[in-house]
Amino acid sequence: MRPRAAKQRAVTIRDVAAAAQLSVTAVSRHFNNRIALPVETVARIEAAASALGYRPNVAARRLSLGSSESLGFVLSDIAHPFFSAIASAAEAECARLGYSLLVFSSRNIIENEIAALRRIESAQVDGILFMTNHSNASEIAETINRVRNVVLLDEDAPDAEAPRIYARNREGGRLATEHLLAAGHRRIAFVGGQEGLISSSERMAGYREALETRGIPVDPALMLLAGYNSEDGEAAFAALDLLDEPPTAIFAAADMVALGILRSARGAGLSVPEDLSLVGFDDIPNADVIGPPLTTIRQSAEAFAVRGVQMLVSLLNGELTQDVVEYVDVELVKRSSVTQPRQRRHWRSAPRGASPKPKTAAKANRTQKRGNDNE
Amino acid sequence: MRPRAAKQRAVTIRDVAAAAQLSVTAVSRHFNNRIALPVETVARIEAAASALGYRPNVAARRLSLGSSESLGFVLSDIAHPFFSAIASAAEAECARLGYSLLVFSSRNIIENEIAALRRIESAQVDGILFMTNHSNASEIAETINRVRNVVLLDEDAPDAEAPRIYARNREGGRLATEHLLAAGHRRIAFVGGQEGLISSSERMAGYREALETRGIPVDPALMLLAGYNSEDGEAAFAALDLLDEPPTAIFAAADMVALGILRSARGAGLSVPEDLSLVGFDDIPNADVIGPPLTTIRQSAEAFAVRGVQMLVSLLNGELTQDVVEYVDVELVKRSSVTQPRQRRHWRSAPRGASPKPKTAAKANRTQKRGNDNE
DNA sequence: TTGTAAGCGTTATCAT
DNA sequence: ATGATAACGCTTACAA
């Protein structure tokens, strides 16, 4: 009957009650209810509790209350600078509201995302802040609708009944592209996240919009879908490098992608922005100290985080319906990775590559995942 | 008696048992014990469980088992690139071992660190990976000794009985300084973390050691204690900038500090490494894409993380004693933030500052916390 | 105002 | 092999 004895019996509410010569009810009331106990009673309880070093057992509370007072945060990787900025702010807001935060890295694996979601069913967390990279997976939407108590962050999951927070992605895409246009660029590439992500396709829509407004034809060879990590940027650079007429500027749908492009460009002997202008998206921490300081579209990680947990908590309290959508503003941050295009010159004719074999970019619409093949 | 009804009664082990026409014991056994149930029984249980969508309630398990199967990670801020790299790897290792990870940001507030530690007492987590910035606070050591089941990461807490993992800080400090020395620098500053941190003082010890080996006198005006964030680097730069004879190189005890210094140096019109060589510590992600790519001492975030959780789990299982200490290797990563010293020139005589008032650095051993006063 | 005891969903002991 | 049932520590309806 006694389960494997905990190494050292913790002090329970009953111990406190005994020490204070009161019932457990009184002690429980003191620690939860606002029911005013007589001062003398309170004093006895506090004395006993602190003498014994009493800490309410949260598992027991959860079981009894039916609520865990903790929230989950599902993202692809905590080490991603923008995501970790969100996680940091979310943790702070959780703490402020009396919640704990469980972090689940999905590593972009859909099964992990679903498994994380199911922790609502096992009562491990009351609700989940959910960032996915598989917006098109119907299984995710189904799971969300079953477990309920999910707030979608940054990315959609069509058919899911859940409140959402998006950045103004299209506007951001437009802003970025217009900035490049204003600098004189005409051949501007777009490098987005993996196919199907609405954040990516919205940013691309903004890009097209800006181009079309200026009457500049949209070249499909210049629009790549890769992913949101720096390796994806490297792969994209490699693909773009194969074009007969490479772009003079790139709008990367995420700063990490821009960093990957930058890394590859440097490796290829190109300098940014002289040989290639670059605009990112996110404004990750330290983007200002990159070489060169990265021009980017800022979206507030904090806004995502604090509104996200606030909405989730409201949802849990039944104060919010599933159909709410909020938007996070974006803003162009001009730094030094953009300048006017220099006289057109092929990347491949840069210092090291002597005589490259000209090659048409066949299907530049999908790039391989790892990009160690650049230069 | 019925607690505030959960919005929608979840399916319990009893429901499954009923559906499978078996006892709860059988179902429980199936989900935990390796006791071989007859295939037919197993089939009935699985059918019932999946038909009902059963998920064991973790709170109940915890209460019964006396273990939460989750670990805590206490750090000052998840958004710090090096810490988030550790958190990411720790989460992965936790997941591999069947644990969940709760993240607690202390924001460098000692009360928060202690409150987090006490979550062991409330049975919210089984154990904690602990990174502190208050190694000298005796209250922390006392709490650790009381709650037990803590592994110290990266920083000491004297008198705490807990396994520890340190980087080879002194060696790192030596490596960094020797590298600067080899480049021809003689006036090398050290900018460390807040006073009392052994990681910082060990790195400084390595710095002194390298200097002394070369017979170069250690100038106290060149040794600053600040903190591990980028604002601390900015403050340090400001203090160093006031010296009559500023250093030609700086060894910053953390990459984030180096980034702050870099930011300030740029703001002051200095260029790195031409006017000032810089070496960091940590090798944070994307340090290679900083302007200029940062030369630094690499320590493996992953090593900290995976050994940390492994040690913690061993400790929980009683397979590890509190007196174990492990070390994480360090390594010099040469990039582009170091070059030989140029003809000595005062920072203040750089492009913008025309005629500065010469001033002796009074007590350069403490720098103010926020450094918005530079340039 | 205070206390008793039921019940939250599991696990594990003990008997069958 | 299988099943009743007593814990685990808490909250709270209900009684006093």
Side-chain angles (χ1 to χ4, degrees):
Chain A
M1 57 196 48
R2 148 95 31 79
R4 173 179 1 128
K7 26 233 83 178
Q8 193 183 300
R9 268 250 321 135
V11 4
T12 76
I13 197 173
R14 236 168 313 251
D15 300 326
V16 177
Q21 314 239 58
L22 284 164
S23 70
V24 295
T25 312
V27 181
S28 176
R29 286 213 257 257
H30 172 62
F31 282 108
N32 303 289
N33 253 327
R34 58 219 78 265
I35 292 179
L37 290 312
V39 268
E40 204 256 330
T41 307
V42 171
R44 290 232 302 280
I45 296 176
E46 300 235 285
S50 77
L52 273 50
Y54 171 66
R55 295 269 95 185
N57 179 305
V58 303
R61 289 201 70 192
R62 288 175 183 193
L63 189 54
S64 185
L65 251 21
S67 121
S68 67
E69 285 162 305
S70 55
L71 304 180
F73 186 11
V74 178
L75 38 26
S76 61
D77 182 12
I78 322 173
H80 186 293
F82 189 65
F83 299 161
S84 80
I86 298 179
S88 174
E91 197 274 347
E93 184 66 8
C94 279
R96 204 176 69 77
L97 300 178
Y99 283 86
S100 297
L101 216 225
L102 289 266
V103 178
F104 304 116
S105 283
S106 68
R107 257 147 280 135
N108 270 339
I109 297 166
I110 190 168
E111 286 77 19
N112 292 343
E113 295 182 347
I114 294 186
L117 247 11
R118 301 204 66 182
R119 289 171 191 257
I120 290 178
E121 293 180 310
S122 57
Q124 185 168 14
V125 296
D126 293 344
I128 283 180
L129 253 29
F130 193 71
M131 301 182 79
T132 183
N133 274 322
H134 301 91
S135 58
N136 42 0
S138 66
E139 200 179 352
I140 287 186
E142 287 161 19
T143 308
I144 290 175
N145 293 342
R146 181 156 42 81
V147 302
R148 223 177 265 84
N149 297 344
V150 173
V151 168
L152 259 27
L153 240 52
D154 191 40
E155 186 53 60
D156 193 23
D159 300 325
E161 292 161 18
R164 296 155 156 78
I165 309 183
Y166 298 138
R168 298 193 189 279
N169 289 307
R170 180 187 298 237
E171 181 186 347
R174 200 162 37 69
L175 253 26
T177 311
E178 280 168 359
H179 179 58
L180 256 8
L181 252 9
H185 293 275
R186 292 298 173 269
R187 245 183 116 56
I188 303 173
F190 169 83
V191 179
Q194 46 263 77
E195 202 159 6
L197 292 191
I198 69 115
S199 58
S200 174
S201 61
E202 283 291 298
R203 289 166 200 181
M204 185 162 89
Y207 156 89
R208 303 183 73 130
E209 204 176 299
L211 252 32
E212 283 160 4
T213 302
R214 284 284 202 111
I216 297 178
V218 172
D219 181 349
L222 254 27
M223 307 192 308
L224 268 47
L225 262 20
Y228 280 157
N229 290 305
S230 95
E231 306 84 49
D232 302 308
E234 294 171 14
F237 179 89
L240 257 12
D241 196 20
L242 294 176
L243 296 182
D244 280 334
E245 197 178 354
T248 60
I250 302 179
F251 164 39
D255 284 351
M256 287 298 283
V257 172
L259 259 39
I261 291 172
L262 177 61
R263 183 152 28 225
S264 288
R266 280 189 179 181
L270 292 183
S271 55
V272 174
E274 291 76 10
D275 299 311
L276 175 67
S277 286
L278 200 52
V279 177
F281 202 110
D282 286 346
D283 194 23
I284 58 175
N286 301 317
D288 65 321
V289 84
I290 294 300
L294 189 64
T295 292
T296 190
I297 302 296
R298 171 181 298 160
Q299 51 177 342
S300 162
E302 199 177 42
F304 269 111
V306 338
R307 282 307 296 151
V309 343
Q310 286 173 356
M311 284 169 76
L312 184 49
V313 170
S314 300
L315 185 66
L316 296 175
N317 294 336
E319 304 160 1
L320 188 74
T321 55
Q322 324 270 134
D323 54 6
V324 174
V325 181
E326 286 196 7
Y327 291 91
V328 170
D329 288 337
V330 298
E331 163 193 12
L332 173 68
V333 180
K334 294 184 199 173
R335 287 197 274 243
S336 319
S337 61
V338 173
T339 191
Q340 67 235 69
R342 72 159 50 172
Q343 206 54 327
R344 186 193 311 154
R345 105 160 134 97
H346 273 163
W347 296 352
R348 283 163 298 173
S349 56
R352 24 231 276 203
S355 57
K357 41 201 145 77
K359 198 158 94 187
T360 309
K363 33 107 206 151
N365 225 17
R366 213 66 228 256
T367 68
Q368 59 281 58
K369 196 65 201 237
R370 284 222 113 247
N372 284 337
D373 45 1
N374 57 287
E375 171 46 28
Chain B
M1 61 197 48
R2 150 90 32 78
R4 174 183 355 132
K7 25 233 81 177
Q8 191 182 301
R9 269 247 323 135
V11 4
T12 76
I13 196 174
R14 238 173 305 258
D15 300 325
V16 177
Q21 314 239 58
L22 285 164
S23 70
V24 294
T25 311
V27 180
S28 176
R29 283 213 260 258
H30 172 62
F31 282 107
N32 302 289
N33 254 326
R34 56 221 75 266
I35 291 180
L37 290 313
V39 267
E40 203 257 331
T41 308
V42 170
R44 291 230 303 280
I45 296 176
E46 300 234 286
S50 78
L52 272 51
Y54 171 66
R55 293 268 95 186
N57 179 306
V58 302
R61 289 201 73 201
R62 288 176 182 193
L63 189 54
S64 185
L65 253 20
S67 121
S68 67
E69 287 163 303
S70 56
L71 304 180
F73 186 10
V74 179
L75 39 26
S76 60
D77 181 12
I78 321 174
H80 186 294
F82 189 66
F83 299 161
S84 79
I86 298 179
S88 174
E91 197 272 348
E93 184 66 9
C94 278
R96 203 176 70 75
L97 300 177
Y99 283 86
S100 297
L101 216 225
L102 289 265
V103 177
F104 304 117
S105 283
S106 69
R107 259 149 278 134
N108 270 339
I109 297 167
I110 190 169
E111 286 75 21
N112 292 343
E113 295 182 348
I114 295 188
L117 248 10
R118 301 203 67 182
R119 289 175 191 254
I120 290 178
E121 293 179 311
S122 57
Q124 186 168 14
V125 296
D126 293 344
I128 284 180
L129 252 30
F130 192 71
M131 301 183 80
T132 182
N133 274 322
H134 300 91
S135 58
N136 42 1
S138 66
E139 201 179 350
I140 287 186
E142 287 160 19
T143 308
I144 290 175
N145 293 341
R146 181 157 43 82
V147 303
R148 222 177 264 85
N149 298 344
V150 173
V151 168
L152 259 25
L153 239 53
D154 192 39
E155 186 53 62
D156 194 22
D159 300 324
E161 292 160 18
R164 294 155 157 77
I165 309 183
Y166 297 138
R168 298 194 189 280
N169 290 306
R170 180 187 298 237
E171 181 186 347
R174 199 163 37 68
L175 254 27
T177 312
E178 280 168 0
H179 179 59
L180 256 6
L181 252 10
H185 294 275
R186 292 300 173 265
R187 245 184 116 55
I188 303 173
F190 169 83
V191 179
Q194 46 264 75
E195 203 160 5
L197 292 190
I198 70 116
S199 58
S200 174
S201 61
E202 284 290 297
R203 289 166 201 183
M204 185 161 87
Y207 157 86
R208 304 183 72 130
E209 205 175 298
L211 253 28
E212 283 160 4
T213 302
R214 285 284 201 111
I216 297 177
V218 172
D219 181 347
L222 255 27
M223 306 191 310
L224 268 49
L225 262 20
Y228 280 155
N229 290 305
S230 94
E231 306 85 45
D232 302 308
E234 294 171 13
F237 179 88
L240 257 11
D241 196 20
L242 294 174
L243 296 182
D244 280 334
E245 199 179 353
T248 60
I250 302 180
F251 164 39
D255 285 351
M256 286 298 282
V257 173
L259 258 38
I261 291 172
L262 178 61
R263 181 147 36 220
S264 288
R266 280 188 179 180
L270 291 183
S271 55
V272 175
E274 291 76 9
D275 299 311
L276 175 69
S277 286
L278 199 53
V279 177
F281 202 110
D282 287 347
D283 194 24
I284 58 175
N286 300 319
D288 65 320
V289 84
I290 294 300
L294 189 64
T295 292
T296 190
I297 302 296
R298 170 181 298 160
Q299 51 177 342
S300 163
E302 199 176 43
F304 269 112
V306 338
R307 281 307 296 151
V309 342
Q310 287 172 356
M311 284 169 76
L312 184 49
V313 170
S314 300
L315 185 67
L316 296 174
N317 294 337
E319 305 159 0
L320 187 74
T321 55
Q322 325 270 135
D323 54 6
V324 174
V325 181
E326 286 196 8
Y327 292 90
V328 169
D329 289 336
V330 298
E331 162 194 13
L332 173 69
V333 180
K334 294 184 198 173
R335 288 197 273 243
S336 319
S337 62
V338 173
T339 190
Q340 68 234 72
R342 71 158 53 173
Q343 204 56 324
R344 186 194 309 152
R345 104 159 136 96
H346 273 160
W347 296 353
R348 283 162 300 173
S349 56
R352 25 232 274 204
S355 56
K357 40 201 145 75
K359 199 158 89 186
T360 310
K363 30 109 210 147
N365 226 14
R366 213 68 228 253
T367 67
Q368 58 282 57
K369 196 65 203 230
R370 286 218 112 249
N372 284 337
D373 45 1
N374 56 290
E375 170 48 29

